[in-house]
Amino acid sequence: MLNPDSVGRTFTGAESVSVTQSEITAFALVIGETDFLVAPPTFSIRITLAQSQALLSDPDVGLDWSRVVHGDQKFKIQRPIIAGDVLRCSSTIENYKVVAGNEIVTVRSDLHADVELVVSTWSTLVVRA
């Protein structure tokens, strides 16, 4: 069971991620995009997923990965990600509730270029009963 005291906890990635044009192009090709000038809207998940998993894998959080299914994903894009961006990620456990015995956890991950917020993502995970 997830530790309810984990709500509000933030994990900040130790390293910045430099975005390259080849990464944007490769990602775009995989999803069928033909515009390579900016990263596709879902590109940010490449960066935020590792950060949110690091936060949720902390033993003090208590998440049982063997029972997790992905529930929802949403993005708020302040500006497109472009080649040359150097991004830092932080992930915060925003919400936790139990519904019909299932735990529902929402994690917000923010990508910043220096002090500028570039993208926020929300991942909702369901931990099956």
Side-chain angles (χ1 to χ4, degrees):
M1 176 162 223
L2 187 107
N3 178 354
D5 292 336
S6 297
V7 175
R9 184 171 174 194
T10 298
F11 174 85
T12 301
E15 296 182 17
S16 297
V17 175
S18 296
V19 178
T20 66
Q21 185 61 56
S22 62
E23 291 172 320
I24 291 172
T25 301
F27 191 92
L29 287 170
V30 166
I31 64 170
E33 282 289 330
T34 56
D35 178 5
F36 307 134
L37 294 178
V38 299
T42 55
F43 178 86
S44 60
I45 202 70
R46 288 187 70 250
I47 302 165
T48 61
L49 184 61
Q51 299 295 320
S52 63
Q53 285 180 339
L55 171 64
L56 294 170
S57 293
D58 184 316
D60 291 338
V61 173
L63 185 74
D64 181 355
W65 283 101
S66 69
R67 297 182 10 236
V68 170
V69 294
H70 190 259
D72 190 30
Q73 187 77 46
K74 70 179 184 174
F75 302 84
K76 183 175 182 184
I77 301 167
Q78 303 297 329
R79 71 155 173 86
I81 295 173
I82 58 171
D85 275 342
V86 177
L87 302 172
R88 271 219 177 288
C89 182
S90 63
S91 294
T92 302
I93 299 174
E94 273 199 342
N95 193 21
Y96 169 75
K97 60 186 173 184
V98 178
V99 177
N102 297 305
E103 298 173 274
I104 300 173
V105 182
T106 302
V107 177
R108 186 191 80 243
S109 296
D110 295 321
L111 292 178
H112 287 88
D114 290 320
V115 297
E116 175 190 19
L117 177 60
V118 178
V119 175
S120 293
T121 69
W122 287 264
S123 297
T124 301
L125 304 174
V126 179
V127 184
R128 297 167 306 180

